[in-house]
Amino acid sequence: MKRNDFNWDKIVDEAFSNDRCHVFSEHYNVRKRKLERSITMKRTLRKGRIMAIAVSVAAAAALVPVSIYAYNKFTASINKTAKYRNTISVQTPVAEENAAYMDYDFGWTPEGFSYGVKYGKPGYRTEDGETIYPMLYRLPADKSFDIDLINSFDCENYTTSDKSVMINHRNAANEYDRDVWLYFNDTRYLLELIVTDGISDEDLKKTIENITLKPSDEKNFSEHLWWEKDKNEEKLAQEYLDSVTYPVEEGDRTILQIGDTGVFECDNCTITLNSAELTDSMEGIHTDACGWEKDFSDITDENGNVAENIRSYIKLGDGIDTIDEIVYQDNVPYHILKINATFTNTADETNEIGICPEILVFNDGIPNTRKNQKNGLYYEDSIYGDRGGFFSLDTAPEVKGGRNSVTLGAGQSTDVQIAFLVPDDYTDEMFINFVRYGNSYSQSLKEGYPIFDVSK
């Protein structure tokens, strides 16, 4: 079965690469929080996985601190600093004068893996979605710092002839259950690998053994160290987001119906919602959110309908003394909302119009892509990770853009079919938001940007 990795990639790619009017959704921010807490690339819960891991951590509590010495120029010690946290303490060597740029080289990968760039991220992947994401860092010279690895329940440390290796096994109720840290001896280079669980330990270690550094004419490494992020900057950013997220009264919402046309000056276009159909059948849906052919067997049953969905209600841990725990599970059906919309370019020149609609719901008057947490518990659905996002887009080949977009000449129009997966508890009151303006959905609605009512 192929992994469905589009949604996280789409969220990140749209959040950081799109220069049109845009705002981070709450869904993105929840995911970002999880990413920063446990280096999690995406989250697809598997029944019983978290509880099984909880049993394993008891043995990990007895881990003995390990020290790694790469000659006398680079030192790193790994210590267990809390029940579910391991901390790497690093002392980097003095900078070399006129040091050449270096890049990583994978001398061997398991069968079926090939290198490629997907959604802006380089990595090694198989057709089934098994992935190794590499990220090379050049560390500051002659500096000491700590890297906290939270949600960590086991660490394996060893050395090879040219590198020091740490394989961190995380409390990941997702397929990215390991991250690997490679310190190259006599250098200031650190390579981080995020690895899916379908890669065997034997193949992973053979891959690590065959990774080397090579001179490069280009700067293919990062000097931005995510573990040294500015806490005050994060606090100010969150305070700002909180200040622009507020209830929007019904009288301040511009709500359109099926058949209406919305004007979106931000994208120099109008959008007419021609039809909206709520169904359980995948019939007629065969492209992904960028318009490319896709097999959706991973979310359908033997009859071609939306597969069963298990919703897991989770008590979030801090990743240090507690880990995420599934409190209970429930069956919450998903449906397909299939819409047809006409996009018209209102610019005086050719315009590539980005298409990234979302399903909006209101929580105590506050617009968002996600309903409130139930009884203070975070929840995840087994069938799909991207609440509020569309999963399929289909339009005429001659106007299809490079990703989720259409390219139209001045005054030109085209019809686009878009499909969303929506949980049953959204259908009584839900809206389609085509353009997000400002820094929150609240701001967008206050500015008069319309949403379309597609409630059941």
Side-chain angles (χ1 to χ4, degrees):
M1 178 181 292
K2 291 187 177 182
R3 299 190 188 281
N4 189 347
D5 66 344
F6 171 75
N7 288 281
W8 170 256
D9 294 324
K10 176 170 70 70
I11 291 168
V12 173
D13 191 59
E14 283 292 316
F16 292 107
S17 301
N18 198 343
D19 58 2
R20 70 184 183 91
C21 307
H22 195 82
V23 63
F24 294 158
S25 66
E26 186 216 18
H27 177 76
Y28 167 76
N29 283 300
V30 169
R31 290 302 175 92
K32 179 173 179 287
R33 176 184 171 223
K34 301 298 288 183
L35 170 64
E36 291 177 339
R37 287 173 60 242
S38 57
I39 324 174
T40 302
M41 299 301 291
K42 59 184 176 180
R43 184 179 183 85
T44 305
L45 283 172
R46 298 174 185 177
K47 187 174 182 180
R49 180 72 183 275
I50 292 178
M51 297 308 295
I53 291 175
V55 175
S56 302
V57 295
L63 280 178
V64 177
V66 177
S67 293
I68 297 174
Y69 297 94
Y71 303 109
N72 292 319
K73 296 187 177 182
F74 190 118
T75 63
S77 63
I78 300 122
N79 297 282
K80 194 163 190 65
T81 52
K83 188 174 183 180
Y84 302 110
R85 181 181 65 198
N86 282 278
T87 300
I88 306 171
S89 298
V90 173
Q91 172 64 54
T92 61
V94 176
E96 318 87 42
E97 291 186 8
N98 302 317
Y101 289 158
M102 303 295 285
D103 198 2
Y104 58 79
D105 182 59
F106 279 62
W108 182 89
T109 54
E111 183 178 356
F113 277 81
S114 60
Y115 179 83
V117 178
K118 188 173 183 181
Y119 305 113
K121 295 195 292 294
Y124 293 84
R125 302 173 180 83
T126 68
E127 291 186 357
D128 290 336
E130 298 297 345
T131 304
I132 301 173
Y133 281 117
M135 184 63 199
L136 184 65
Y137 302 93
R138 188 170 72 172
L139 304 176
D142 194 21
K143 184 176 179 180
S144 299
F145 56 87
D146 293 334
I147 305 173
D148 284 331
L149 305 178
I150 63 176
N151 285 307
S152 173
F153 67 92
D154 192 14
C155 288
E156 183 178 357
N157 311 286
Y158 62 94
T159 60
T160 68
S161 60
D162 64 338
K163 66 181 77 75
S164 302
V165 181
M166 189 198 76
I167 302 175
N168 181 41
H169 297 263
R170 297 180 292 108
N171 172 42
N174 55 68
E175 55 266 39
Y176 292 90
D177 67 344
R178 287 164 294 175
D179 54 285
V180 180
W181 300 78
L182 308 181
Y183 301 98
F184 293 92
N185 298 344
D186 298 326
T187 78
R188 291 187 288 126
Y189 287 90
L190 176 155
L191 181 66
E192 180 185 8
L193 308 176
I194 307 293
V195 183
T196 52
D197 59 7
I199 302 169
S200 70
D201 289 340
E202 180 181 358
D203 280 347
L204 176 59
K205 289 184 178 181
K206 186 174 180 180
T207 299
I208 292 169
E209 181 183 347
N210 286 276
I211 297 175
T212 58
L213 286 180
K214 62 179 181 180
S216 174
D217 294 331
E218 298 180 356
K219 183 179 176 180
N220 293 323
F221 54 82
S222 173
E223 292 179 309
H224 175 72
L225 311 180
W226 57 261
W227 54 87
E228 293 199 325
K229 53 186 178 291
D230 188 331
K231 297 292 186 183
N232 186 58
E233 187 176 296
E234 284 187 353
K235 180 175 179 290
L236 292 174
Q238 186 59 54
E239 287 176 352
Y240 174 73
L241 285 174
D242 290 343
S243 73
V244 296
T245 302
Y246 44 79
V248 179
E249 301 299 328
E250 289 190 21
D252 294 328
R253 307 172 191 172
T254 303
I255 298 178
L256 303 181
Q257 306 297 323
I258 296 172
D260 290 342
T261 298
V263 177
F264 299 91
E265 295 177 356
C266 182
D267 274 354
N268 292 316
C269 73
T270 63
I271 302 173
T272 302
L273 182 60
N274 301 315
S275 63
E277 174 192 6
L278 200 63
T279 179
D280 291 332
S281 173
M282 290 288 292
E283 184 177 358
I285 300 174
H286 53 84
T287 52
D288 67 12
C290 288
W292 304 112
E293 290 292 324
K294 180 173 176 59
D295 174 18
F296 288 109
S297 58
D298 57 336
I299 58 171
T300 55
D301 62 20
E302 62 276 8
N303 299 315
N305 295 328
V306 181
E308 179 186 43
N309 173 64
I310 302 299
R311 176 168 293 179
S312 299
Y313 294 90
I314 306 159
K315 181 179 180 182
L316 294 178
D318 61 10
I320 299 172
D321 297 307
T322 59
I323 56 174
D324 297 355
E325 178 184 353
I326 295 177
V327 178
Y328 68 97
Q329 295 178 313
D330 196 7
N331 189 316
V332 179
Y334 262 72
H335 309 286
I336 296 168
L337 176 66
K338 186 162 56 175
I339 69 169
N340 180 280
T342 300
F343 287 73
T344 301
N345 177 20
T346 57
D348 295 329
E349 57 187 5
T350 298
N351 182 19
E352 183 174 9
I353 302 170
I355 301 176
C356 194
E358 295 169 297
I359 299 294
L360 278 191
V361 293
F362 285 86
N363 298 308
D364 299 323
I366 300 175
N368 223 307
T369 58
R370 179 185 180 88
K371 282 187 176 291
N372 277 335
Q373 299 176 11
K374 186 175 181 179
N375 299 325
L377 300 176
Y378 180 83
Y379 63 84
E380 282 284 359
D381 292 328
S382 62
I383 191 172
Y384 223 56
D386 186 21
R387 288 181 195 80
F390 68 108
F391 72 94
S392 177
L393 178 153
D394 195 13
T395 190
E398 61 269 21
V399 299
K400 181 187 174 307
R403 299 189 190 179
N404 48 309
S405 62
V406 291
T407 302
L408 302 176
Q412 185 180 2
S413 298
T414 191
D415 285 352
V416 180
Q417 176 183 282
I418 303 169
F420 306 79
L421 274 170
V422 294
D424 190 67
D425 55 345
Y426 280 34
T427 58
D428 287 340
E429 185 183 32
M430 59 181 179
F431 305 85
I432 294 179
N433 182 66
F434 280 101
V435 171
R436 293 172 288 180
Y437 176 83
N439 290 304
S440 75
Y441 297 107
S442 302
Q443 283 190 327
S444 185
L445 292 178
K446 278 287 190 180
E447 288 290 329
Y449 279 87
I451 55 177
F452 290 84
D453 189 350
V454 289
S455 305
K456 183 169 62 177

